[in-house]
Amino acid sequence: MKISPLQAARLKYEPKLPGMLRNGIAAICVKEGEATQSVADQEKIAALFPNTYGKKEITFEKGENTSEAKKQVVGVILSGGQAPGGHNVVCGLYDALKATNPENVLYGFKGGPSGLLEDDYLIFDDEYINQFRNTGGFDIIGSGRTKLETEEQFAVAAEVCKKHGVTAIVIIGGDDSNTNAAVLAEYFAAHETGVQVIGCPKTIDGDLKNEDIECSFGFDTATKTYSELIGNIERDANSAKKYWHFVKVMGRSASHVALECALETQANICLVSEEVAEKKMSLAQIADYIADAVAKRAEKGMNFGVAIIPEGVVEFVPEFSVLIKEINELLAGAKAEEFNALASWKEKYDFIEKGLTAESFAVFANLPETVQQQLFLDRDPHGNVQVSLIESEKLFSALVKANLEERKKNGTYKGKFSALHHFFGYEGRCAFPSNFDADYCYSLGYNAFMLIQYGYNGYLSKISNLSKPAEEWVAGGMPITKMMNMERRHGEDKPVIRKALVELDGKPFKYFEANRDTWAVETCYTYPGAIQYYGPDEVCNLTTRTLALEKGE
Ligand code: FBP
C-alpha cells in the first residue's frame, strides 16, 4: 500500500509516556488514594452502583510491580465520533499488554459497541497494528454509535466475553459511552463475570472534562486543524478586504471548540452558545450584535471579517428551541403525512402558520426561506427536526444582512456586506494527531492496561498535569462513578457523567470576554498555521489556549 512521506515518518514517531511509566512494566507500582464520592446525588448513585461505587482514586509510581500474573485477554471498542489519537490509545494498550506478557491477547471489536454484541472482531498482531501508529482516524477497527445500555445487551456482552475468555473491555468514548462503561462494569461485577471495564476519555468536542479529566483526547488536534483553516481565511479576508466569512465549527452542544478557535485566531466574532442561553438572547439580538461589529468595521473602511459560529448554537436560543418543540409536535404521528401530501411550499407555509403559536410563527417567519424549508424537510426517523443539520452559518449571515439593510435605510450603515460560508467539522476529526494527542492517547492506552493488570473495574484511564511536558504527566485512574450525578433523560432520572459546557466564569471565557470588543472592531488576527510535528518544542508541543488558561498559564 502506498503511503505518504508524512505517514511514513509518523509511523516511526515514538510517543512519550509520563515519566512514571517509562521504566518498563516491571517498575510500575500503584498508590491508592482516598475513597471517592460522586460529584452529586451520592446516595442515589451509591445505591445504583453497589459494587463499583466509592472506590479509591489511584496513581501509578515507579516501584516494584506487584500485580497478579495472569493471562489477559482484552477487548477494545471505539465508540462515537472520530477523534485524532484513537489509534494510539489502541497502540498503547497493545504495547503494555504485550510487554507484560507476550501471551496476552488484544481483540478489537469492530464498528463500535455493536461489534461486541455481534461478536465481530479482529485479533491484533504487530504487523496489523504497526500500520496505524500515530495516524488519525478510527479505521483500525471502525467506530459506531450503538449504545450499550440495556440489561439484554449486557447479557450478550457477557456471553461474548465468556466465549473468548475476555478478562477486560476498554471503551474509548465520550461522556455517554463512559457512563455506559460504568453501568456495564457494575453489571459485570454484580454477575461475577470476572470481566473488568476501563474507559478512556475521547471527543473533539472537549465536553468530557471535570476536576479529574483535564481534557478529552482529539480536542487539541481538531481545534488546531480548524484554527489553521480559520487563520488562513483571516489572512485571505485581510488581503482581499471584501468578504465576511461565517465559519461554523463542530461541537454538538458545548462551545469549547469555537472558543478555543477564537482564542487561537482572534477572529472578529465568536458566538458562545452557553452565553446565548445565559443571556436568553433572541436570534434578532445575536444578529444585531454581529451587525454592530460589521458596521463599526465598515466605518473604518473594513468591509471584511470572520465570525465563528458553534455548531449547536441555535438549540441554545430560547425562542428557537420552543419553535423546534412546536414543529416536532405539529408533525407528530399522522399529521406528518397530511403535511407531506400538500403540494406547494405556499400550502405548507399556511399549514405551519395555523399550527404554530403566534410567538413561534413570528420567529419562523423571520428565518431565511432555505432554513424554513430545512426545518421541515431534514427530519430524523422519529420525525424530529435535525437541529445539527441547520446551516446556522447561513442563518446568521442572512439575519445580519437583513439587519444591515434596515440600518442602510435609516442611514446608520453605509458599508458593503458580502458573506461566504464554511463548516469545519469532519476536516479535523481524523487529522494526524498532534504530538500532544499522539503522546496523550498512547499514554491513556498504556495506562488503561496497567489499570486492568492491577484489577481495577469501572475506572477511567486518567493522565493529568497535561500542560507540562510529558515527563511530568501523572498517570492513574478514577472511578467513573465519581464523575456522575443524576440527570433527567428521556423522562427518567439517570446516573450520567455531567457534560462540561463552557463555564462563563471560567478563565478561557473571561480572557475572551476581556478582549472580544477589540478583536471585533480592530484586525487583530493571529495565524496559527499548520500543526507542526517536527521542529522546535515551542511550535511542536503547544498546549491549547483553553488548557493553558485553565491552568493559569
Ligand atoms: P462524539 O461526542 O461521539 O465524540 O462526537 C462528537 C461529534 O464529532 C460532534 O462534534 C458532531 O456534532 C458529531 O460528532 C457528528 O456526528 P456524526 O459523525 O454522527 O455525523
Side-chain angles (χ1 to χ4, degrees):
M1 192 173 66
K2 187 171 170 4
I3 60 170
S4 71
L6 181 66
Q7 193 176 342
R10 291 310 281 167
L11 293 180
K12 295 192 198 120
Y13 175 78
E14 284 186 19
K16 299 189 249 345
L17 283 169
M20 63 195 54
L21 299 182
R22 282 185 193 177
N23 290 7
I25 299 285
I28 301 174
C29 71
V30 72
K31 182 178 158 212
E32 292 204 325
E34 298 292 311
T36 55
Q37 296 265 355
S38 60
V39 284
D41 308 309
Q42 288 86 6
E43 275 179 28
K44 285 185 185 159
I45 308 275
L48 288 166
F49 294 89
N51 295 284
T52 49
Y53 185 81
K55 302 278 182 208
K56 294 176 178 160
E57 55 186 273
I58 68 114
T59 44
F60 289 112
E61 289 188 334
K62 283 181 192 166
E64 191 193 341
N65 186 331
T66 56
S67 64
E68 186 197 336
K70 78 170 196 189
K71 181 179 170 188
Q72 300 284 6
V73 180
V74 177
V76 64
I77 298 168
L78 288 161
S79 180
Q82 284 71 252
H87 287 167
N88 268 25
V89 181
V90 181
C91 293
L93 178 63
Y94 177 84
D95 288 353
L97 168 143
K98 289 290 182 189
T100 301
N101 177 358
E103 300 295 309
N104 287 344
V105 183
L106 182 62
Y107 281 72
F109 288 103
K110 292 188 195 170
S114 61
L116 176 60
L117 302 177
E118 290 158 14
D119 197 13
D120 185 12
Y121 64 88
L122 56 78
I123 294 176
F124 289 101
D125 60 20
D126 289 353
E127 193 189 350
Y128 184 70
I129 208 161
N130 287 343
Q131 313 164 63
F132 293 96
R133 291 184 186 271
N134 309 300
T135 55
F138 279 6
D139 43 320
I140 191 167
I141 44 174
S143 184
R145 290 198 183 276
T146 302
K147 291 188 190 311
L148 279 182
E149 54 188 354
T150 66
E151 290 261 327
E152 293 74 31
Q153 289 173 321
F154 296 161
V156 174
E159 271 309 304
V160 172
C161 289
K162 196 167 162 197
K163 176 176 161 196
H164 299 293
V166 167
T167 52
I169 294 284
V170 174
I171 297 180
I172 303 170
D175 54 335
D176 281 344
S177 306
N178 279 297
T179 292
N180 294 336
V183 184
L184 182 63
E186 177 63 32
Y187 178 95
F188 281 164
H191 290 77
E192 295 177 356
T193 59
V195 183
Q196 299 157 238
V197 181
I198 300 294
C200 286
K202 170 234 72 163
T203 178
I204 64 154
D205 291 3
D207 57 9
L208 173 47
K209 66 174 170 183
N210 46 50
E211 60 178 67
D212 292 303
I213 301 302
E214 293 176 8
C215 73
S216 54
F217 78 75
F219 178 73
D220 185 90
T221 309
T223 54
K224 284 187 166 81
T225 305
Y226 305 144
S227 297
E228 177 204 352
L229 298 174
I230 295 169
N232 295 350
I233 285 174
E234 286 178 336
R235 206 139 212 175
D236 194 288
N238 199 18
S239 306
K241 303 197 190 296
K242 60 177 180 182
Y243 295 124
W244 263 88
H245 294 266
F246 284 71
V247 185
K248 180 169 81 171
V249 290
M250 248 187 194
R252 189 190 296 276
S253 180
S255 305
H256 298 289
V257 172
L259 181 57
E260 171 64 20
C261 292
L263 295 170
E264 292 275 359
T265 61
Q266 304 190 171
N268 303 99
I269 298 286
C270 174
L271 300 181
V272 175
S273 306
E274 292 80 349
E275 185 184 27
V276 166
E278 169 87 9
K279 294 186 173 165
K280 299 193 170 45
M281 290 175 83
S282 64
L283 292 175
Q285 282 170 327
I286 299 172
D288 204 45
Y289 166 68
I290 303 174
D292 269 349
V294 175
K296 284 188 188 142
R297 287 176 65 76
E299 271 171 32
K300 293 167 175 258
M302 296 186 287
N303 288 301
F304 65 92
V306 175
I308 302 175
I309 315 287
E311 183 182 11
V313 66
V314 287
E315 279 185 279
F316 288 73
V317 178
E319 60 183 14
F320 202 88
S321 47
V322 173
L323 170 67
I324 301 290
K325 268 193 212 117
E326 286 192 22
I327 293 176
N328 288 340
E329 271 165 37
L330 182 62
L331 295 195
K335 283 183 279 174
E337 276 172 41
E338 194 188 328
F339 176 82
N340 290 338
L342 298 171
S344 67
W345 175 241
K346 167 82 184 71
E347 285 169 274
K348 288 183 174 165
Y349 196 89
D350 291 344
F351 177 97
I352 296 162
E353 182 166 11
K354 280 193 209 106
L356 297 178
T357 59
E359 296 76 25
S360 285
F361 183 71
V363 176
F364 179 78
N366 271 329
L367 300 174
E369 192 172 309
T370 48
V371 175
Q372 288 177 338
Q373 295 191 349
Q374 240 167 39
L375 291 175
F376 282 85
L377 295 177
D378 297 324
R379 312 172 64 72
D380 74 9
H382 309 288
N384 293 328
V385 175
Q386 297 201 66
V387 185
S388 64
L389 297 183
I390 295 170
E391 294 174 306
S392 43
E393 68 283 22
K394 292 190 182 156
L395 166 64
F396 284 110
S397 91
L399 295 175
V400 169
K401 188 168 180 230
N403 181 301
L404 293 170
E405 275 158 15
E406 286 304 311
R407 291 179 191 227
K408 259 203 174 140
K409 280 187 208 150
N410 64 31
T412 54
Y413 169 70
K414 296 191 177 59
K416 287 188 200 133
F417 179 74
S418 177
L420 294 176
H421 307 102
H422 315 264
F423 170 38
F424 298 148
Y426 299 95
E427 294 80 349
R429 293 202 315 184
C430 286
F432 279 101
S434 60
N435 287 346
F436 172 85
D437 271 327
D439 298 345
Y440 181 37
C441 290
Y442 188 82
S443 303
L444 283 170
Y446 200 97
N447 189 58
F449 184 74
M450 294 319 300
L451 290 167
I452 293 167
Q453 185 61 20
Y454 272 102
Y456 293 99
N457 180 32
Y459 275 64
L460 199 63
S461 177
K462 172 181 166 182
I463 305 288
S464 50
N465 211 23
L466 292 173
S467 61
K468 298 280 183 270
E471 167 71 35
E472 295 169 44
W473 290 356
V474 178
M478 186 56 63
I480 302 176
T481 52
K482 181 183 175 211
M483 300 164 194
M484 292 180 130
N485 66 166
M486 300 298 292
E487 283 178 25
R488 202 94 189 133
R489 297 274 170 99
H490 306 296
E492 273 180 72
D493 284 338
K494 292 257 182 190
V496 295
I497 298 177
R498 193 183 281 164
K499 201 181 264 308
L501 297 180
V502 168
E503 287 177 10
L504 300 182
D505 54 2
K507 289 180 184 157
F509 182 79
K510 284 285 168 207
Y511 182 87
F512 167 70
E513 195 181 31
N515 289 286
R516 67 175 159 188
D517 290 348
T518 313
W519 297 352
V521 181
E522 308 297 332
T523 299
C524 309
Y525 302 149
T526 47
Y527 309 117
I531 295 174
Q532 301 296 306
Y533 301 94
Y534 301 97
D537 225 34
E538 65 274 19
V539 294
C540 293
N541 291 309
L542 275 175
T543 192
T544 59
R545 297 285 295 131
T546 303
L547 187 59
L549 287 162
E550 280 170 351
K551 292 280 183 178
E553 289 165 9

